[in-house]
Amino acid sequence: MSDPFDVVRHPTARRIRLSLDPASGRARLVVPKRAALKPALAWARGKADWIAEQRARLPRPMPYEPGMVLTVADVPLTLAWEAGTRRRIEVAGDRLSVSGPIETLPRRVEAWLRRQALDLLTAETAHYAAAAGVTVATVAIGDARGRWGSCAHDGAIRYSWRLILAPGWVRRATVAHEVAHRVHMNHAPAFHALVEHLYGSDPHPARAWLRAHGAGLHWVGRSS
């Protein structure tokens, strides 16, 4: 039986450390580069109750299924499925109407969410880029667990598609943050001042919201 945690040899770690990723539910044992592995594993295996306790506190999985409510760009939508051959997903009032094979519903709903996210994040990026007087090479989406956005030196910006599930004010603060990196590729005071200028408000509450609630967004679409 495999251990209920991932083992990582870290070159700069000074001590053994066990943590739980709230986005994935995986436990992680960090071991210093030169530390003996056997006693570290024995210590971590003795923490099984702690791991179980931390996992019990994780956000509740929200599988894509009929009747669930998804908040998409601040709009609550109830997922409504019916048998039929229509594959297109449509918004009908407060419902997200889906037909077609029930077994493909999760894949198709997530693909639809990703398209909505890319369209909206592309538009909001263009808005802030114009305000900052910069260009953005490309806008793309992914599903990284460790960050909500990133800006490369070549001008490409990438976001987590799950920002479409966050409140709009949180999403826009993240976009302003990444666009500001087109001017300052650091986190110096001038960078933070530009983020606040572009966003038009203090962005710190948005970052705090993601720290407090962001993990829950990663459990949308998961069954366990």
Side-chain angles (χ1 to χ4, degrees):
M1 184 176 179
S2 61
D3 287 313
F5 48 80
D6 300 322
V7 179
V8 178
R9 282 281 192 182
H10 200 286
T12 61
R14 295 185 177 182
R15 60 184 179 85
I16 299 168
R17 186 173 69 255
L18 187 64
S19 62
L20 191 79
D21 180 0
S24 67
R26 287 292 299 175
R28 186 172 186 250
L29 174 65
V30 175
V31 182
K33 185 178 180 180
R34 292 182 174 82
L37 183 58
K38 188 174 181 179
L41 290 174
W43 173 80
R45 288 166 184 155
K47 297 292 184 179
D49 289 344
W50 179 87
I51 294 175
E53 180 183 342
Q54 297 303 308
R55 284 183 173 152
R57 297 177 181 178
L58 290 173
R60 179 175 59 87
M62 294 181 60
Y64 299 121
E65 57 188 12
M68 77 173 300
V69 177
L70 286 164
T71 300
V72 183
D74 293 325
V75 178
L77 298 171
T78 299
L79 186 56
W81 174 84
E82 60 181 16
T85 59
R86 177 176 55 84
R87 299 298 183 97
R88 183 179 178 182
I89 297 178
E90 298 176 338
V91 175
D94 61 355
R95 302 190 317 151
L96 188 61
S97 179
V98 188
S99 185
I102 187 67
E103 63 270 16
T104 66
L105 181 145
R107 174 178 56 79
R108 289 184 292 123
V109 169
E110 186 157 309
W112 182 85
L113 288 169
R114 286 173 175 262
R115 289 193 298 271
Q116 304 308 303
L118 181 58
D119 289 347
L120 185 54
L121 288 164
T122 297
E124 291 177 341
T125 299
H127 169 78
Y128 286 123
V134 298
T135 59
V136 173
T138 59
V139 175
I141 56 170
D143 197 13
R145 298 190 186 279
R147 60 199 315 178
W148 297 101
S150 62
C151 179
H153 284 278
D154 64 1
I157 293 180
R158 188 174 185 86
Y159 301 103
S160 166
W161 72 265
R162 295 178 186 274
L163 285 169
I164 195 74
L165 306 172
W169 58 274
V170 173
R171 184 187 65 250
R172 289 187 292 273
T174 304
V175 175
H177 182 105
E178 299 309 330
V179 169
H181 276 311
R182 293 291 295 121
V183 180
H184 304 286
M185 288 297 286
N186 53 50
H187 289 97
F191 164 80
H192 291 293
L194 178 57
V195 175
E196 185 164 348
H197 172 72
L198 293 174
Y199 181 51
S201 184
D202 181 3
H204 287 93
R207 306 298 290 180
W209 190 96
L210 285 172
R211 286 193 297 272
H213 306 288
L217 303 183
H218 287 285
W219 289 79
V220 174
R222 293 182 58 174
S223 58
S224 61

